[in-house]
Amino acid sequence: MASTFEAVADIIADTCDIERDQITPESHAINDLGIDSLDFLDIAFAVDKAFGIKMPLEQWTQDVNDGKVPTEEYFVLGNLCAHIDKLVAAKS
Amino acid sequence: MILEYFQMIDRIVEIDPDAGTIRAHCQVPVESPIFDGHFPGYRRLPGALMIETMAQTGGWVILARRRFASMPFLTRVESAKMRRFVEPGETLEGTATLTHDGSGFAVIQAVLTTGGKTAASAEIRYAVGPFPNETILAAMTQKSREIGFPEEYLHVS
């Protein structure tokens, strides 16, 4: 997870022009970092490419909209990285 | 092409949603009010409309891939290059290749050629989501039939 977080944080810093040291595993992408939906698509593209996965953003959005999970499940970076790790593990 | 209505694609020549590729025919009109302003005495297709043409070309292959279940909207243009002027009456060929089919977004690499020479190229990104309403879905379906979009890609099987 640590290396996943480092990679994701670097992607977010590059994509959204956010200071790298502001980004922590506890950061909420929207509430703390101010990332909007358009920037999140660019982050998803970079994460997909970096990890060779396809983050299921549409399903995650549906889960949040249906009230199945809180936004923190996918937008707090530590949680997001855990999901990325699961996708990577499922691929191999 | 009817530039003032942003109708950029005249005919889909080839489309393969599985491979993520498309080739489209676009006939630049001889007359259009666009050319009155761009430019007086030097009529050329605006680069912004070349980008729009590439975006629409790629958009059709995304629509085919999703079987018209969702619609792509232009979000980002990367590395756009306008390599030559395009004059009224020229024939353009738009080609696009889907390079990343993400969840809720897609990325294509597009090229416009005229006379076998590259006129423009770009990487184009889209947000892909539900059609906003029935009116636009009906209009897009109608347009698809006018430009030769294969019927089998209109519906989820």
Side-chain angles (χ1 to χ4, degrees):
Chain A
M1 214 289 271
S3 62
T4 301
F5 172 75
E6 294 302 321
V8 170
D10 287 346
I11 286 170
I12 291 172
D14 286 347
T15 304
C16 303
D17 201 18
I18 295 172
E19 292 292 332
R20 174 63 182 80
D21 58 12
Q22 289 183 16
I23 304 169
T24 71
E26 292 74 35
S27 299
H28 189 294
I30 301 168
N31 299 343
D32 298 327
L33 302 178
I35 296 170
D36 66 19
S37 59
L38 206 54
D39 278 339
F40 201 79
L41 292 182
D42 286 335
I43 292 166
F45 179 38
V47 167
D48 281 4
K49 282 198 298 184
F51 292 92
I53 58 174
K54 180 174 176 175
M55 285 203 296
L57 297 186
E58 290 166 298
Q59 184 60 55
W60 291 355
T61 303
Q62 191 68 48
D63 290 347
V64 170
N65 290 344
D66 290 347
K68 293 179 181 173
V69 295
T71 61
E72 288 77 8
E73 180 69 22
Y74 300 122
F75 288 109
V76 169
L77 298 189
N79 296 340
L80 175 65
C81 290
H83 285 289
I84 291 169
D85 285 341
K86 286 180 191 171
L87 291 166
V88 171
K91 182 187 69 169
S92 58
Chain B
M1 301 170 93
I2 306 176
L3 304 181
E4 51 275 29
Y5 283 92
F6 273 58
Q7 295 183 14
M8 315 310 282
I9 309 297
D10 292 315
R11 185 165 46 87
I12 293 173
V13 180
E14 293 176 347
I15 186 166
D16 183 340
D18 295 329
T21 56
I22 184 172
R23 188 159 62 91
H25 175 90
C26 316
Q27 183 65 49
V28 182
V30 173
E31 299 294 339
S32 167
I34 296 287
F35 296 129
D36 294 343
H38 196 282
F39 301 98
Y42 193 70
R43 305 189 319 150
R44 297 294 182 273
L45 184 67
L49 295 184
M50 292 191 210
I51 290 172
E52 178 66 22
T53 303
M54 291 189 285
Q56 290 190 18
T57 301
W60 283 108
V61 79
I62 296 166
L63 282 161
R65 189 140 170 133
R66 308 289 174 103
R67 300 301 193 266
F68 251 71
S70 50
M71 180 167 177
F73 291 94
L74 175 64
T75 58
R76 184 163 171 161
V77 179
E78 284 279 307
S79 309
K81 291 184 180 178
M82 312 309 137
R83 296 169 186 271
R84 60 194 311 114
F85 288 119
V86 174
E87 300 182 28
E90 284 196 55
T91 300
L92 292 173
E93 182 175 273
T95 59
T97 301
L98 185 70
T99 55
H100 190 85
D101 190 13
S103 175
F105 69 98
V107 183
I108 63 121
Q109 195 70 41
V111 178
L112 275 187
T113 60
T114 174
K117 295 179 178 174
T118 301
S121 60
E123 178 190 276
I124 298 175
R125 301 186 192 181
Y126 310 78
V128 183
F131 279 86
N133 57 51
E134 290 297 318
T135 302
I136 190 171
L137 173 58
M140 291 297 295
T141 303
Q142 171 68 25
K143 174 54 69 177
S144 76
R145 292 181 169 129
E146 292 171 3
I147 65 172
F149 184 88
E151 192 78 19
E152 70 251 42
Y153 303 143
L154 270 176
H155 306 288
V156 177
S157 57

